Amino acid sequence: MNIAASVGPALALEVADAASIAELRHQAEGCTRCDLYRDATQIVFGEGLGKAEIVLVGEQPGDQEDLTGRPFVGPAGRLLDRCLDEAGLDRRRCYVTNAVKHFKFTPRGKRRLHAKPDAGEIRRCAWWLGAELNIIKPKLVVTLGASALYALLGPKVKLTPERGHILYPANRPPVLVTIHPSYLLRIRDEAQQHRLRLDFVSDLHKAAEFQPR
């Protein structure tokens, strides 16, 4: 068993109080906890079962998520769906959300290029992520990428050495560490992409087969 020595803002800070995901989503609709709401189209809240077994946590919404108001519907989300299917993990068992709920971007002509959320933005949005976890009480949380890992387990836990491991923060749900599917989309070498995709599917398979101890 790998014990996580620390927890991140979503597990350590004060969070919103709501009885259900629907109530929490309603509270979040007017969120101004950080400045990202100023340029985003809308907040993109989590989606899935209110008592899901597994919570998948990504980084932040992308361009298509910002426009539709739904998480993981863009290229990375479609790749995630295919990999979940290959891993034998039914997305209907999952609740899918992000560490940060508004799209952070840099304008480039007519395009909006993804910009990585900073630690302050992740901490402020932990108000919502921590509440989502408190309501759902999943048996496992899967962090997709470094921002999600920071939100759950803080700055001392690094993605590369913990990739594929399940960590056990005290009195909190176990956390499976893996990459964000968008990382796979950025790899141009087909052989490398195929190999890393198989690794990602293997990580998701661990989530599919996970049984609490």
Side-chain angles (χ1 to χ4, degrees):
M1 179 185 296
N2 295 327
I3 304 297
S6 62
V7 293
L11 302 181
L13 301 179
E14 183 180 358
V15 300
D17 182 24
S20 67
I21 291 295
E23 180 184 340
L24 188 66
R25 182 182 292 109
H26 180 70
Q27 290 182 23
E29 285 175 356
C31 181
T32 57
R33 293 183 59 82
C34 75
D35 288 339
L36 295 184
Y37 79 95
R38 298 180 186 277
D39 296 320
T41 303
Q42 59 194 313
I43 196 165
V44 180
F45 213 70
E47 185 175 274
L49 293 176
K51 292 296 181 182
E53 297 177 354
I54 297 169
V55 171
L56 305 172
V57 182
E59 179 185 72
Q60 65 157 348
D63 183 78
Q64 292 186 32
E65 289 81 6
D66 173 72
L67 295 174
T68 63
R70 298 183 59 206
F72 282 94
V73 295
R78 292 191 291 272
L79 177 57
L80 175 63
D81 285 347
R82 293 194 296 270
C83 291
L84 287 170
D85 186 60
E86 291 172 25
L89 179 53
D90 189 342
R91 182 163 168 169
R92 290 174 296 181
R93 290 175 56 194
C94 305
Y95 179 89
V96 182
T97 191
N98 284 296
V100 171
K101 307 293 196 262
H102 283 110
F103 181 31
K104 182 177 182 179
F105 61 91
T106 301
R108 185 71 58 83
K110 294 183 178 181
R111 299 177 62 202
R112 301 187 299 173
L113 301 183
H114 167 276
K116 186 179 178 66
D118 62 35
E121 290 156 351
I122 294 171
R123 284 197 297 271
R124 291 184 183 94
C125 214
W127 175 261
W128 304 116
L129 177 58
E132 287 174 294
L133 297 176
N134 285 347
I135 292 167
I136 296 170
K137 295 180 173 59
K139 72 177 186 181
L140 180 70
V141 179
V142 180
T143 58
L144 304 170
S147 294
L149 181 58
Y150 174 85
L152 268 294
L153 297 180
K156 294 182 180 179
V157 181
K158 302 301 182 183
L159 195 155
T160 299
E162 298 298 349
R163 163 81 187 276
H165 294 163
I166 297 175
L167 306 180
Y168 291 80
N171 302 315
R172 295 291 186 169
V175 175
L176 171 62
V177 180
T178 190
I179 60 171
H180 195 284
S182 63
Y183 174 69
L184 298 174
L185 296 175
R186 295 193 295 270
I187 298 172
R188 298 305 176 202
D189 182 271
E190 289 187 10
Q192 182 186 20
Q193 185 188 71
H194 178 71
R195 184 178 72 254
L196 293 178
R197 175 174 170 156
L198 290 178
D199 291 342
F200 182 53
V201 171
S202 176
D203 291 343
L204 295 177
H205 183 70
K206 292 177 184 177
E209 297 297 311
F210 178 77
Q211 295 296 329
R213 298 180 180 180

